[in-house]
Every structure is written in C-alpha cells, then in structure tokens.
Amino acid sequence: MPKPVLILSDFDRTLFDTDRFFLEIWQLAGKMYEIDDALEGSQAPGFYSMYGDAYDYRFFEHLKHAAGKQLSVPHFINEARKAFS
C-alpha cells in the first residue's frame, strides 16, 4: 500500500516562515539555472494574484519567466525535495 502523503497549506503565514522558504527556494533556483536569485526574489510581487484580501504567488510561472526553456518543473521539484529533506 502506498505511503500516505501529508500536504499542509499555509494561506495566512501562521505555520511557516514563507519569506525564508522563498529566499531558500530562489537560492536553489539560482544555483540550478544560473539566475540572480536576489533579483528574482525582489520581483516576486509581479507574480502575485490577489484573491479578496489574500494573494497567491505564482512561483512556477515566475521561475519559468526567469529560467526560460531550461526549466523542468519535475526536475526542479525533485532537486528541491533532496535539498530540503
């Protein structure tokens, strides 16, 4: 039987330090795709969608914009899993 997977969503930033998470995930992306992680992190608000009084950060859309055709989302997710396990 497959092992169950738990997914937590932190819509109001009460469970996780999401700023730290995005800083670290952009550092990984910077290493993997040779992009300026600090610059891309500062451009994140351009990839927010507002839903009422909350926002959604379209991270993979932003990463695709920054990394271009070399981006493979499944590969990035696998590398992130290894890096943050």
Side-chain angles (χ1 to χ4, degrees):
M1 174 180 259
K3 187 176 180 179
V5 176
L6 174 66
I7 299 174
L8 298 174
S9 296
D10 184 24
F11 296 110
D12 62 357
R13 297 180 174 196
T14 57
L15 299 175
F16 303 106
D17 181 353
T18 50
D19 290 337
R20 181 174 158 217
F21 169 76
F22 283 117
L23 174 70
E24 291 180 13
I25 205 76
W26 273 111
Q27 288 172 344
L28 175 64
K31 291 176 188 171
M32 288 179 63
Y33 300 110
E34 298 179 4
I35 55 178
D36 184 340
D37 58 284
L39 174 65
E40 292 305 327
S42 72
Q43 294 181 354
F47 293 88
Y48 291 167
S49 293
M50 297 300 294
Y51 296 100
D53 62 350
Y55 64 87
D56 175 44
Y57 176 35
R58 300 179 322 275
F59 172 75
F60 284 108
E61 183 179 322
H62 186 174
L63 183 56
K64 182 173 177 62
H65 174 78
K69 293 180 180 182
Q70 63 182 333
L71 173 64
S72 164
V73 172
H75 180 256
F76 182 80
I77 291 171
N78 285 333
E79 291 301 308
R81 282 183 181 147
K82 288 190 263 183
F84 299 110
S85 294

